[in-house]
Amino acid sequence: MPASRIRSTTSLLAALALLGSLLVVYEVDAVDRSKFRTCEQGSFCRRYRKFIQLPQLSEGLWSVVPTSREEAGAAAWTFLLKHRNEAEPHLKLTLNAYASGIVRFRVNEVSPVHPRHVIPAGDVVVDPAPGAAAARITSDEKTTIITFESDAGSKVKVELLHSPISMSVAVDGRVVQRLNARNYLNFERYRKAKAVLPPDSQSDAAAQPEEVLLDAAAFKDVDTKGLWEEEFGGHTDKKPRGPASLGMDVTFEGDVPSLFGLPEHMTKASLPFYDEPYRFFNLDVFEYENNEPMALYGAVPMIWAIHRGEGQQAAVTSAFLWINPSETFVKLERGDKAWGSSWFGKGSSGPAHAWWTSESGVLDAAVFVGPAPAAVSAQFHSLTGHAPMPGLWALGKHQCRWNYMSQKDTLSVDSNYDKYDIPYDVIWLDIEHTDGKAYFTWHPTHFPNPQEMVDTISSKRRKFVNVVDPHIKKDEKFHVYKEIRDQGLFIKKVDWKMIDDPTDVKPADWETVEFIDDPNAGPQPPEWDEAQDGKWEAPKIPNPAYKGEWKARQVVDPSSPRSDFEGWCWPGTSGYPDFTNPKMREYWGSQFALDKYKGTNADLYVWNDMNEPSVFNGPEVTCPRDAIHPHGDVEHRDVHNMYGYYVHRATFEGLEKRVPGDRPFVLTRSFFIGSHKYSAIWTGDNYAKWEHLSTSIAMVGALTLAGQSLVGADVGGFFKHPDSEMVIRWYQLAVLAYPFLRNHAHLETPRREPWMYDEDTLVAVKASLQLRYKLLPLWYTVFEEYHRLGKPVVRPLFWDFLSDPETHADEQAVENQIMLGDVLLVHGIGKPMSQQKSTTVYLPAAPGWYDIYTGSFATPGKHGVKVTMENIPAFFRAGSIVPTKNRIRRSSSCMAMDPHTLNIYLDPASGEATGRLYLDDTKTKKYQEGEKFDVHFQFKGDTLKATSAGGKMPTEVSPEVERVEIFGLGFEPKKATLKTPRGTVELPQPMTRPQLAGLGAKLGGSPLRFAATLKIKPWIDLTDGLEWSVTIN
């Protein structure tokens, strides 16, 4: 929920009185832009934009010292980089070639004045690092060339140009990316206090250091404001370590029609080329707007590029990842071909450019060479790690609201789901369940017996989620606050003191005599009588060389006293733990133990909100950049975008220890690269607006391309109240396109549980949720592919149909459609019926498509579709076998022992189809020990069978099939037989029906085909492996 959304609500009067004037009350439906700075308002981005416009950059500033190359491990090398205006090389470049098809490019300082923050191994990049490539390196005076073959068999060539430094990466003979091709490299080394230039023998001797072009922080023609201190929104950011930003350009070569990614922003899927750079600075943004590069809650600075082929060349993909947790800006550019906000329909696009700049840290970037989308996803996960399998229940319906106000209210919501026979899996509680917003507690009167309530939910085979935010209520009676404080684990603030700079020495020619004898005065007058007049003193005049009293330059005292940083959040005055510290994460995780977190059981999981972190009275509603994380003595600016990551990682690890072998569930709002290993993500506090519904497709797709697949948007919107039409449309999309399916609502909105609407709406929402539960076997099987191979669970169409240019050129295909696995295409409806009577659906090049509701067949291509309220366009890919469960019960756990249905959608040309079903116990980690079962199906020559089956079948789920549905048959089957190791059985006569062609041309050249339903008695036991088959004739 947002930092600012407190109004005169009864339950929040105490909080409102406490926060007083610190909180601004908004009645407008728009973000308050004055709270959040732009590139121009931040000194490091502003000066970088000016720096890259300097004409001197045309020749480059940094060069590789070829003779400095050293081996740094398998397929790893280091080089020194020298600036043309310095005497010695002060930067070190490290290159890695990883076997999966990754080229990693890192730059850090050599012997810095202050250590630069480097993300610890294992936090983002896996430890040990990905497997090294079998690479060959050669070099001459001008270039170094690295070649290797990726695990997938692609030939990769890296060409490092020495002077000025640039690097190209080619795959299978095609250059896909160039780094620093435009000489935008900037690296601001740490300086001594208030020094113009960082240490170097040539720079130290410069008579006019401000005339030396060294970096963006050191040249008079750029911008030297804000180097050591800057203000924004009434807050002063002290910078005792001085400027430390860095930046570089990347060019995506070839004909690049679209760039994708850069979550989290509310933009189109095909990234617009805004004038303002995309910002990455995790924030609690109140009422965020559509079509904006403003920062939101999370950061994965990753771009996917599509490179179209020339002539007969196939299209390929590549991606670029910028690994830096400080504030970052990314600017997309097209050179002379700037299309503004939309490229669609503009013809050949040419290369795309991006520049990247971060406030501090080191330059760490990875090029994923692809060339197929599946290879890019696999490369990302080989670098950052694979996600664990979620519990099946996590893919069901989650019911949430700010807030269910009492134990009675909570149980009433649960009972109404049963009353109306609507499936759901999880009920959630927001902040009002606590005792005064002290997390890990319960409100003593509203939730008098939480253990009984939680156990009641468990008895129905459902789950519970509580919010636990990272701001800790300052209260001497609150044990969590006292224990964190006493262990010194809070973030610190600095009471800044100024001292004389110990390195500042008075110049030898500094004149301190204020008055001197007047040289024009005569000698002592003869009439001067010392006895009467005193001793004679010559007249004085002001000394023209006098410079005043010398005082040393004032600098920030590095020993300035520190105390616990305190900010305002929901509880009032709060402390903010240093989650970068493993000791703090260990302590945090221990608080979820069942003997410590009273009123919980093993079915209660956790939601980490407000973890950007949100600080109501802080600069940009977050933690000051100059706050100190005691672990490593790191400024908050260095780690800001990883703060939320460390919070939800600590929660995940605590839940792992709470019940060994259980699969933890954590939801986070703030995230970073690698969050997929620990948490689900939602897109934050969205609106009940049609544009928020439609843009959620792009937002979810961007997240899944960035490796985060357990994601979704609040169904129905968090702010405002969706009318019946909007809520129906949102559910119709969400059950097919959101891996994480939760509805959530602001405290001041009307209640919106399904039964709160009219009967028609209730029926429609219920039908959508029943469809979700019917498809859970498909969702779970696709999630296993994500867990094992890194394939996004839902993804833009180009991921599966790269060879079809419309999937990266047609606006409907790119912006309004998304795939679930490689089998289900869904098209969202983002306007009310009053504005949209029909829509255009693009079906990619494939054997064909089947309407998931009617089974009617459609051919590839663009089709006009009439819009109705019954459903939204959705299609299964021809040639697929889709596992489902048709017995819908109160929760996914209640369906565990129910048999499956196999839905066969035939390729009309071959009459064949294939598919897969993955099974495990859905809740523990036994799958990691081999307790799982995997079946591959094939329908060919009128026979359904398993082509492979293996593993150990868990006893907690059913391996059985009770029904087979076949679509697209060329004949009307009259008979079906089942063959098993126990004999051959003639099945009940197939129930058949004519299947007319749907969108497009006739089905397989014939106006009529058939669909058939086979009831399987006895049920197929999939543990029979390859020893069963079903034949129709």
Side-chain angles (χ1 to χ4, degrees), residues 35-77:
K35 285 179 172 288
F36 308 110
R37 66 184 202 178
T38 63
C39 176
E40 181 65 22
Q41 293 170 316
S43 63
F44 83 91
C45 186
R46 181 177 66 244
R47 67 176 177 265
Y48 184 72
R49 292 189 86 162
K50 294 179 180 179
F51 172 75
I52 62 178
Q53 296 171 14
L54 293 174
Q56 296 94 321
L57 262 60
S58 62
E59 298 179 1
L61 297 178
W62 276 273
S63 297
V64 176
V65 180
T67 57
S68 67
R69 189 184 88 201
E70 294 182 355
E71 302 285 335
W77 305 270

Side-chain angles (χ1 to χ4, degrees), residues 900-914:
H900 298 82
T901 292
L902 297 180
N903 303 271
I904 303 172
Y905 298 93
L906 296 177
D907 177 338
S910 66
E912 298 178 7
T914 59

Side-chain angles (χ1 to χ4, degrees), residues 567-744:
W568 295 88
C569 209
W570 297 122
T573 303
S574 303
Y576 290 78
D578 179 10
F579 283 96
T580 68
N581 190 337
K583 183 179 178 182
M584 177 60 222
R585 298 200 296 270
E586 176 70 24
Y587 170 81
W588 180 263
S590 72
Q591 298 308 299
F592 296 102
L594 298 180
D595 61 345
K596 289 187 176 181
Y597 193 176
K598 302 298 185 181
T600 69
N601 65 18
D603 288 325
L604 185 143
Y605 297 90
V606 181
W607 168 22
N608 293 147
D609 198 0
M610 314 295 285
N611 54 338
E612 293 76 23
S614 180
V615 183
F616 292 171
N617 62 332
E620 299 193 87
V621 200
T622 193
C623 186
R625 298 163 193 257
D626 55 6
I628 300 295
H629 291 256
H631 182 66
D633 194 33
V634 174
E635 289 186 307
H636 183 73
R637 79 181 76 252
D638 296 328
V639 298
H640 174 81
N641 285 344
M642 283 192 74
Y643 187 83
Y645 162 94
Y646 284 121
V647 173
H648 62 68
R649 174 180 171 179
T651 302
F652 179 94
E653 292 172 345
L655 294 177
E656 272 191 315
K657 294 177 180 178
R658 180 189 70 173
V659 181
D662 186 37
R663 301 184 198 178
F665 174 85
V666 182
L667 178 71
T668 183
R669 187 171 70 178
S670 183
F671 57 88
F672 191 64
I673 306 162
S675 288
H676 62 279
K677 294 175 287 190
Y678 306 108
S679 64
I681 296 168
W682 94 107
T683 61
D685 299 334
N686 59 351
Y687 255 111
K689 293 182 177 180
W690 287 99
E691 63 188 41
H692 279 248
L693 187 163
S694 58
T695 307
S696 72
I697 298 173
M699 294 184 75
V700 166
L703 284 165
T704 65
L705 287 178
Q708 328 284 319
S709 267
L710 189 52
V711 296
D714 281 343
V715 178
F718 176 72
F719 290 118
K720 304 300 184 182
H721 187 62
D723 62 19
S724 292
E725 183 178 2
M726 183 183 292
V727 81
I728 289 171
R729 287 291 190 228
W730 215 314
Y731 271 103
Q732 288 172 342
L733 173 69
V735 298
L736 298 176
Y738 294 0
F740 172 62
L741 178 64
R742 183 185 77 152
N743 71 301
H744 184 38

Side-chain angles (χ1 to χ4, degrees), residues 71-135:
E71 302 285 335
W77 305 270
T78 63
F79 303 80
L80 293 177
L81 302 184
K82 182 183 176 300
H83 195 285
R84 75 185 191 196
N85 293 326
E86 289 187 317
E88 299 90 18
H90 296 289
L91 300 181
K92 178 180 285 188
L93 166 67
T94 302
L95 292 181
N96 296 84
Y98 298 132
S100 60
I102 304 171
V103 180
R104 191 174 177 195
F105 182 102
R106 287 177 284 173
V107 179
N108 200 351
E109 284 195 58
V110 177
S111 303
V113 172
H114 306 286
R116 300 183 79 100
H117 177 67
V118 178
I119 300 171
D123 286 2
V124 170
V125 174
V126 294
D127 186 26

Side-chain angles (χ1 to χ4, degrees), residues 389-525:
M389 280 295 292
L392 178 64
W393 61 268
L395 309 183
K397 168 67 164 63
H398 297 249
Q399 180 63 44
C400 185
R401 179 178 176 81
W402 179 30
N403 205 94
Y404 294 122
M405 301 303 297
S406 68
Q407 187 167 325
K408 180 179 179 181
D409 187 11
T410 305
L411 293 175
S412 174
V413 172
D414 174 76
S415 296
N416 274 319
Y417 266 95
D418 294 335
K419 175 181 177 180
Y420 293 98
D421 194 24
I422 304 172
Y424 97 104
D425 265 88
V426 196
I427 194 160
W428 294 53
L429 289 182
D430 210 323
I431 57 176
E432 309 303 329
H433 82 274
T434 62
D435 184 2
K437 313 304 184 299
Y439 305 105
F440 303 101
T441 69
W442 298 86
H443 193 288
T445 56
H446 296 170
F447 294 88
N449 194 342
Q451 190 72 63
E452 178 184 89
M453 174 184 64
V454 173
D455 289 346
T456 298
I457 298 298
S458 291
S459 70
K460 294 184 175 182
R461 303 179 73 179
R462 290 174 175 145
K463 309 292 183 183
F464 215 102
V465 170
N466 273 0
V467 72
V468 180
D469 292 346
H471 47 265
I472 305 303
K473 181 177 184 178
K474 183 179 181 181
D475 185 342
E476 289 295 327
K477 298 178 181 179
F478 184 30
H479 73 95
V480 174
Y481 168 77
K482 290 178 61 180
E483 290 167 4
I484 295 175
R485 180 200 61 193
D486 293 347
Q487 295 179 71
L489 295 175
F490 280 120
I491 293 173
K492 306 299 180 184
K493 68 175 181 179
V494 182
D495 182 11
W496 297 107
K497 308 295 183 184
M498 305 301 290
I499 60 171
D500 292 346
D501 184 351
T503 67
D504 195 13
V505 179
K506 183 173 72 173
D509 62 349
W510 191 276
E511 180 59 65
T512 58
V513 177
E514 185 175 1
F515 295 95
I516 60 173
D517 291 343
D518 185 352
N520 297 319
Q524 177 177 321

Side-chain angles (χ1 to χ4, degrees), residues 260-267 271 278-280 282 296-304 671-672 698-708:
F260 295 84
L262 293 183
E264 182 176 44
H265 297 92
M266 191 181 181
T267 67
L271 292 170
Y278 288 85
R279 188 186 186 204
F280 289 94
N282 295 353
L296 292 180
Y297 312 99
V300 183
M302 180 181 181
I303 288 178
W304 282 63
F671 57 88
F672 191 64
M699 294 184 75
V700 166
L703 284 165
T704 65
L705 287 178
Q708 328 284 319

Side-chain angles (χ1 to χ4, degrees), residues 98-223:
Y98 298 132
S100 60
I102 304 171
V103 180
R104 191 174 177 195
F105 182 102
R106 287 177 284 173
V107 179
N108 200 351
E109 284 195 58
V110 177
S111 303
V113 172
H114 306 286
R116 300 183 79 100
H117 177 67
V118 178
I119 300 171
D123 286 2
V124 170
V125 174
V126 294
D127 186 26
R136 181 173 181 265
I137 185 168
T138 60
S139 63
D140 56 27
E141 185 178 328
K142 294 183 178 181
T143 61
T144 294
I145 295 177
I146 301 167
T147 56
F148 65 95
E149 187 172 299
S150 72
D151 290 339
S154 295
K155 292 178 171 56
V156 182
K157 179 181 178 181
V158 180
E159 185 171 3
L160 178 68
L161 298 182
H162 295 161
S163 184
I165 180 175
S166 68
M167 188 179 81
S168 65
V169 180
V171 57
D172 295 331
R174 297 168 63 179
V175 174
V176 290
Q177 293 185 31
R178 297 186 194 274
L179 279 57
N180 203 44
R182 296 192 287 171
N183 297 321
Y184 286 4
L185 178 63
N186 177 56
F187 200 103
E188 298 169 359
R189 293 194 292 120
Y190 280 129
R191 294 132 162 86
K192 295 180 181 178
K194 298 297 178 72
V196 175
L197 300 175
D200 175 77
S201 60
Q202 181 174 321
S203 299
D204 294 345
Q208 294 180 302
E210 67 278 359
E211 298 288 341
V212 178
L213 174 55
L214 193 67
D215 56 36
F219 190 51
K220 63 180 180 61
D221 291 343
V222 183
D223 189 332

